[in-house]
């Protein structure tokens, strides 16, 4: 199902789509060269926003938790990508240990874990689940709405190796974003591959560092295809040492909001865009759409009411928010049955393996859609995303639109590889 795209024939994003389709050979060569120099994250997902006048990533997740929302037709792509990723890291791999999030009663999330396990089993691995939750002291059987079952087992640490009873894995795949910190049981595993690396977790990672890296990628790519980098890149600023409860850092936040809005207004004037600019203020670390608010004027971040301060002060795992990202808001023009939606693209290794639309009937085009009440619609095109139709008019063909989504998402994936290199503690120490 393809949503009705509210765009016009003169839409800049349609021109961007045309540029991308015309430059496909150069683009694919550019990506190949990037992957010769850099290592892609093991898996990732990217939230995109299509404003009609720009298409940009607004969030990149290195512990994607929605594989169950992908179209079944895309599963063969995921299995092939998993095979390629594992062969590159540990060709002799036999056993894979998956470590899920601790909130293992969330059935939507558990279906994601079940899908991940199925992908890696079909890629030729023995797959079992081990929990970081210390209350899990014996195998726990969890029934799934789809009719399947997961068995979550207690982890066993032995010297430099981590495994389960009678199960010694070559590779450990984290599907836990470490928002609550890095547990000692995962540290010092010098004889096993831990994917993603520990510094990819939210205990260490910052969105602002990712978007600094994305700045570099977007400039290079925009030069390659001859477009303004702003067409695919949101402005942003970062503000540290914020305390919403004690109302510290409000001046810093207001100044950052004012600075980003001023840059956006200048671009809107340049392109004759009549929309009122806004920014999204969100925690610089963390996920699940927590700690996010839409701001249209610097005055709005001063004298926040108690409810908003409480909402912004804590994210997943009770993590206190002390640093925030102020990001240019990209309004979504995409609709599915009149509801605002945004594309989310899933990748494994260097490959796009599918995606879906996040849909929210009760949210506006300038609001965060990753909130209670959202639902997902798989991107289920008749053909695979990489089979483009260059002769078709921009905006009229599903595979062409999804190919463009995949290109922008892969730019964010390249940025994530830069980011992980730059924040690698071993590199920093070296």
């Amino acid at each position: 199902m393809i949503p009705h795209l509210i765009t016009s024939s003169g839409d800049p994003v349609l021109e961007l789509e045309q540029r991308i389709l015309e430059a496909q050979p150069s683009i694919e060569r550019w990506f190949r060269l990037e992957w010769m120099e850099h290592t892609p994250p093991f898996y990732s997902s990217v939230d995109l926003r299509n404003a009609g006048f720009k298409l940009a990533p607004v969030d990149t997740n290195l512990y994607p938790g929605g594989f169950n929302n992908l179209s079944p037709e895309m599963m063969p792509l995921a299995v092939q990508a998993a095979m390629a990723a594992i062969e590159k890291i540990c060709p002799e791999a036999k056993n894979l240990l998956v470590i899920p999030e601790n909130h293992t009663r969330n059935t939507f999330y558990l279906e994601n874990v079940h899908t991940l396990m199925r992908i890696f089993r079909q890629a030729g691995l023995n797959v079992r689940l081990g929990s970081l939750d210390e209350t899990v002291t014996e195998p726990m059987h969890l029934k799934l709405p789809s009719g399947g079952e997961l068995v979550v087992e207690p982890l066993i640490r032995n010297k430099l190796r981590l495994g389960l009873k009678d199960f010694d894995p070559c590779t450990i795949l984290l599907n836990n974003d470490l928002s609550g910190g890095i547990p000692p049981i995962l540290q010092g595993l010098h004889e096993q591959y831990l994917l993603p690396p520990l510094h990819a977790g939210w205990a260490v990672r910052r969105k602002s560092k990712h978007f600094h890296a994305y700045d570099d990628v977007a400039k290079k790519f925009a030069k390659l295809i001859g477009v303004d980098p702003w067409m695919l890149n949101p402005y942003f600023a970062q503000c540290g040492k914020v305390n919403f409860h004690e109302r510290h850092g409000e001046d810093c936040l207001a100044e950052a909001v004012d600075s980003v809005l001023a840059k956006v207004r200048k671009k809107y004037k340049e392109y004759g865009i009549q929309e009122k600019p806004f920014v999204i203020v969100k925690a610089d670390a963390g996920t699940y759409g927590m700690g996010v608010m839409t701001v249209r004027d610097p005055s709005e971040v001063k004298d926040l009411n108690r409810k908003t301060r409480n909402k912004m002060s804590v994210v997943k795992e009770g993590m206190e928010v002390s640093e925030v990202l102020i990001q240019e808001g990209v309004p979504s023009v995409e609709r599915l049955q009149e509801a605002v939606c945004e594309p989310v693209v899933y990748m494994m290794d260097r490959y796009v393996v599918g995606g879906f639309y996040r849909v929210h009937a009760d949210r506006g085009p300038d609001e965060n859609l990753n909130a209670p009440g959202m639902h997902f619609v798989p991107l289920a095109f008749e053909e695979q995303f990489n089979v483009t139709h260059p002769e078709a008019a921009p905006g009229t063909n599903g595979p062409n639109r999804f190919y463009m989504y995949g290109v922008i998402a892969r730019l964010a994936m390249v940025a994530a590889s830069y980011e992980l290199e730059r924040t690698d503690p071993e590199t920093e120490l070296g």
Side-chain angles (χ1 to χ4, degrees):
M1 185 185 294
I2 303 170
H4 172 58
L5 301 174
I6 304 173
T7 53
S8 63
S9 58
D11 189 325
V13 162
L14 300 187
E15 293 173 21
L16 177 64
E17 183 178 326
Q18 188 65 47
R19 290 281 182 96
I20 286 174
L21 290 172
E22 289 170 354
Q24 187 173 355
S26 300
I27 288 169
E28 295 307 323
R29 179 177 182 272
W30 185 85
F31 277 119
R32 283 197 303 273
L33 294 176
E34 285 293 319
W35 298 132
M36 286 174 68
E37 299 291 330
H38 307 281
T39 302
F42 186 80
Y43 56 4
S44 55
S45 67
V46 177
D47 295 357
L48 301 174
R49 298 279 284 207
N50 177 5
F53 52 82
K54 74 185 294 177
L55 173 69
V58 294
D59 207 14
T60 301
N61 188 357
L62 300 183
Y63 300 86
F67 278 92
N68 55 308
N69 296 316
L70 303 185
S71 163
E73 290 82 5
M74 292 300 211
M75 282 302 108
L77 275 177
V79 172
Q80 288 176 341
M83 285 178 176
I86 290 292
E87 282 171 13
K88 198 162 64 177
I89 294 159
C90 184
E92 71 280 9
K94 178 183 176 184
N95 296 333
L96 176 71
L97 171 62
V98 176
I99 299 180
E101 293 284 358
N102 290 347
H103 56 271
T104 47
R105 298 294 179 182
N106 181 328
T107 54
F108 294 107
Y109 174 73
L110 292 176
E111 292 286 4
N112 155 73
V113 175
H114 189 250
T115 304
L116 262 181
M117 293 181 74
R118 190 168 76 246
I119 289 169
F120 285 105
R121 280 182 179 137
Q122 290 179 9
L125 294 167
N126 300 317
V127 189
R128 284 166 65 177
L129 289 175
S131 178
L132 288 171
D133 188 342
E134 293 178 357
T135 64
V136 178
T137 56
E138 57 186 42
M140 183 168 57
H141 295 255
L142 302 169
K143 298 288 184 185
L144 301 176
S146 62
E149 181 185 75
L150 291 179
V151 180
V152 182
E153 302 176 65
L155 292 170
I156 297 173
R157 178 68 188 256
N158 179 19
K159 294 183 181 177
L160 297 178
R161 297 186 75 81
L162 182 66
L164 308 173
K165 185 180 179 183
D166 303 321
F167 189 76
D168 185 29
C170 156
T171 306
I172 299 162
L173 179 64
L174 285 174
N175 199 241
N176 181 313
D177 63 22
L178 306 179
S179 288
I182 300 174
I185 198 170
L186 295 179
Q187 298 176 27
L189 297 173
H190 300 298
E191 297 179 3
Q192 289 170 305
Y193 296 95
L194 184 65
L195 305 168
L198 292 176
H199 67 283
W202 286 124
V204 178
R205 188 178 179 229
R206 294 295 178 267
K207 296 174 187 178
S208 52
K209 290 190 176 179
H210 173 75
F211 282 100
H212 274 299
Y214 186 78
D215 266 348
D216 297 338
V217 174
K219 284 172 187 168
K220 287 200 287 187
F221 182 80
K223 186 176 180 182
L224 174 75
I225 66 169
V227 299
D228 181 347
W230 179 74
M231 293 283 295
L232 39 92
N233 190 11
Y235 288 128
F236 74 95
Q238 192 260 5
C239 193
K241 299 182 180 176
V242 173
N243 187 314
F244 285 99
H245 275 313
E246 297 180 15
R247 307 178 77 160
H248 292 163
E250 285 185 351
D251 289 338
C252 164
L253 191 51
E255 287 169 14
V257 168
D258 191 40
S259 171
V260 174
L261 284 173
K263 288 182 181 178
V264 177
R265 279 192 211 100
K266 189 175 177 183
K267 278 293 180 186
Y268 278 18
K269 186 176 180 182
E270 179 183 338
Y271 284 98
I273 296 163
Q274 301 302 315
E275 304 259 353
K276 181 173 172 131
F278 65 97
V279 298
I280 299 294
V281 177
K282 52 188 170 184
D284 204 11
T287 185
Y288 282 84
M290 300 173 73
V292 180
M293 66 179 174
T294 300
V295 177
R296 298 169 188 82
D297 188 273
S299 63
E300 294 175 26
V301 298
K302 294 194 173 187
D303 302 321
L304 294 171
N305 62 40
R306 183 183 296 275
K307 182 180 177 182
T308 304
R309 291 205 309 272
N310 288 341
K311 183 185 87 167
M312 292 298 297
S313 63
V314 178
V315 290
K316 187 182 162 198
E317 301 278 357
M319 230 171 113
E320 288 279 340
V321 174
S322 60
E323 301 165 271
V324 293
L325 182 77
I326 300 91
Q327 185 179 64
E328 174 189 347
V330 183
S332 178
V333 297
E334 304 205 41
R335 302 290 184 277
L336 187 58
Q337 296 174 344
E338 302 305 314
V340 177
C341 62
E342 63 190 10
V344 183
V345 178
Y346 271 57
M347 293 160 289
M348 194 171 291
D349 192 59
R350 66 171 78 177
Y351 307 104
V352 172
V353 298
F356 52 82
Y357 284 98
R358 179 183 287 117
V359 186
H360 206 305
D362 299 323
R363 291 285 173 117
D366 59 353
E367 293 183 285
N368 169 40
L369 304 186
N370 188 3
M374 63 183 167
H375 68 276
F376 308 101
V377 177
L379 284 161
F381 296 114
E382 293 177 3
E383 301 163 88
Q384 290 184 356
F385 83 97
N386 53 353
V387 182
T388 57
H389 289 197
E391 71 283 356
T396 60
N397 184 271
N400 285 359
R401 179 54 57 99
F402 191 39
Y403 176 72
M404 178 173 67
Y405 291 161
V407 167
I408 304 302
R410 283 186 287 163
L411 294 180
M413 178 168 51
V414 174
S417 72
Y418 287 18
E419 172 199 358
L420 291 177
E421 287 169 11
R422 293 171 183 177
T423 56
D424 186 339
E426 292 186 14
T427 304
E428 290 178 347
L429 290 171

